[in-house]
Amino acid sequence: MQKVRKAIFPVGGLGTRFLPATKALPKEMLPIVDKPLIQYAVEEAAEAGIEEFIFVTGRNKSAIEDHFDHSFELEATLTAKNKQQALDTVQHMVRHPGSVIYVRQQEPAGLGHAVWCARHIAQSEPVAVLLADDLILGKSCLGEMLSAYTSGNMVAVMDVPENETQSYGIVAPGKDDGRIVEVTGLVEKPAPAQAPSNLAVVGRYIIEPGVFAHLDRQDRGAGGEIQLTDSLARQIGVVPFRGFRFSGERFDCGSKIGFLQANIAFALQRADLQQRLRGWLDERTT
Ligand code: UTP
């Protein structure tokens, strides 16, 4: 098995569901408690052993580049004020020099297009793709996937309510051992009546290099966008394609309700917040 060393973080979307917050601020910089979504995704990838971090950005996304760089003025001030813990926090998140690469997606033509923009950097190795707005509470989802990955394509999957299939890529399942499910078909955003199952793809992928040849065609799919799932579907029967049921809890932070739920769920895990938050929630809801 070839080691997966690189991860692509597509952050070129417009985040229109979060306007006006996302007019000047990248959606991926929205915080869950005190950490931006993109940092959770980068930490998940690092925990899984990823060595190269490829961000596919767009206009208005420079805050992401600044976030993962040194902030000399801030660090000098924290040092002068002897705020060691805060200093450690901002210094530890700066990645090894040369391990972070930025590429621009000039127009938000879809997730498949964003991933295709990283084709020269991905080269001829399998790469991971992480969508920061799919936030997973629990074990590193990518780490779990990599420990089960052998070859071909793999996507994280979860069951969704039948009336929500039009919001996801939906898998036609084959052989299924409860954790790994063979993908025999994949449809992007089908209406419930057309959906082959209620097993949905969430934003973690391991893709093999052959996918880029299909993305090269630049075919438009659901919503007029170039869909990653369409190119993955074209490889069914050519290379192995598996879905992976991860153990964590996923929050759709691209939606307002998912974002609010994630903030509460993550805050309830924090020793410094859980007691006061729980008390306040009890007061509000009884
Ligand atoms: P979404 O479709 O959820 O993001 O894409 P969006 O388009 O930014 O959001 P809305 O629907 O307008 O609110 C999922 C991920 O793919 C990235 C997004 O940045 C997000 O992380 N993406 C999407 C791109 O990088 N480029 C695109 O052209 C589209």
Side-chain angles (χ1 to χ4, degrees), residues 20-65:
T22 49
K23 184 161 179 262
L25 177 79
K27 169 172 78 170
E28 298 79 9
M29 286 300 292
L30 291 172
I32 300 299
V33 188
D34 51 10
K35 201 192 282 187
L37 281 166
I38 189 65
Q39 194 177 336
Y40 286 96
V42 166
E43 287 176 0
E44 177 184 328
E47 200 184 320
I50 293 297
E51 296 160 11
E52 285 182 37
F53 303 80
I54 306 160
F55 292 81
V56 183
T57 70
R59 283 175 292 282
N60 274 343
K61 301 281 180 168
S62 53
I64 295 175
E65 295 185 34

Side-chain angles (χ1 to χ4, degrees), residues 10-18 27-28 56 105 107-111 114 131-133 254:
V11 291
L14 295 179
T16 54
R17 283 172 291 167
F18 257 100
K27 169 172 78 170
E28 298 79 9
V56 183
Q105 181 189 25
E107 49 157 344
L111 176 59
L131 306 189
D133 45 7

Side-chain angles (χ1 to χ4, degrees), residues 132-174:
D133 45 7
D134 271 335
L135 179 62
I136 291 160
L137 177 61
K139 282 193 188 152
S140 165
C141 176
L142 183 64
E144 290 186 321
M145 289 171 73
L146 286 174
S147 55
Y149 178 76
T150 48
S151 62
N153 296 314
M154 181 179 264
V155 289
V157 293
M158 64 181 266
D159 291 315
V160 296
E162 269 159 34
N163 60 359
E164 290 181 13
T165 56
Q166 66 280 12
S167 302
Y168 297 92
I170 299 290
V171 161

Side-chain angles (χ1 to χ4, degrees), residues 19-285:
L19 285 168
T22 49
K23 184 161 179 262
L25 177 79
K27 169 172 78 170
E28 298 79 9
M29 286 300 292
L30 291 172
I32 300 299
V33 188
D34 51 10
K35 201 192 282 187
L37 281 166
I38 189 65
Q39 194 177 336
Y40 286 96
V42 166
E43 287 176 0
E44 177 184 328
E47 200 184 320
I50 293 297
E51 296 160 11
E52 285 182 37
F53 303 80
I54 306 160
F55 292 81
V56 183
T57 70
R59 283 175 292 282
N60 274 343
K61 301 281 180 168
S62 53
I64 295 175
E65 295 185 34
D66 294 339
H67 186 70
F68 290 104
D69 197 357
H70 282 290
S71 170
F72 286 107
E73 194 182 341
L74 175 65
E75 289 174 36
T77 308
L78 293 174
T79 307
K81 293 192 169 171
N82 210 15
K83 295 199 167 177
Q84 193 56 42
Q85 205 182 345
L87 185 63
D88 287 348
T89 302
V90 294
Q91 284 180 334
H92 277 151
M93 50 177 287
V94 176
R95 307 231 60 90
H96 190 56
S99 65
V100 185
I101 301 150
Y102 295 92
V103 57
R104 276 268 181 131
Q105 181 189 25
Q106 286 99 334
E107 49 157 344
L111 176 59
H113 183 258
V115 170
W116 176 78
C117 287
R119 65 198 178 282
H120 297 302
I121 307 161
Q123 291 182 333
S124 51
E125 314 176 18
V127 287
V129 179
L130 295 95
L131 306 189
D133 45 7
D134 271 335
L135 179 62
I136 291 160
L137 177 61
K139 282 193 188 152
S140 165
C141 176
L142 183 64
E144 290 186 321
M145 289 171 73
L146 286 174
S147 55
Y149 178 76
T150 48
S151 62
N153 296 314
M154 181 179 264
V155 289
V157 293
M158 64 181 266
D159 291 315
V160 296
E162 269 159 34
N163 60 359
E164 290 181 13
T165 56
Q166 66 280 12
S167 302
Y168 297 92
I170 299 290
V171 161
K175 211 168 128 234
D176 187 347
D177 71 4
R179 193 156 179 255
I180 295 179
V181 49
E182 189 192 347
V183 179
T184 61
L186 186 56
V187 194
E188 188 59 37
K189 300 187 172 56
Q194 273 81 51
S197 73
N198 65 335
L199 196 57
V201 175
V202 305
R204 301 290 181 275
Y205 311 75
I206 303 168
I207 61 173
E208 64 89 47
V211 173
F212 289 102
H214 295 285
L215 289 172
D216 275 340
R217 293 163 48 157
Q218 306 274 291
D219 290 342
R220 303 262 168 173
E225 296 193 337
I226 299 167
Q227 300 287 352
L228 178 59
T229 44
D230 290 344
S231 287
L232 293 173
R234 288 203 188 96
Q235 286 194 303
I236 291 172
V238 182
V239 297
F241 192 176
R242 300 183 181 99
F244 182 87
R245 287 193 182 85
F246 52 99
S247 67
E249 185 182 3
R250 173 260 189 183
F251 295 91
D252 174 11
C253 295
S255 76
K256 293 181 187 74
I257 187 74
F259 175 77
L260 293 169
Q261 289 167 337
N263 262 297
I264 293 170
F266 276 70
L268 286 173
Q269 301 277 312
R270 290 261 301 248
D272 57 333
L273 296 171
Q274 56 184 201
Q275 212 178 347
R276 279 166 60 201
L277 178 60
R278 204 177 291 280
W280 183 81
L281 285 171
D282 285 347
E283 263 171 45
R284 299 284 293 202
T285 50

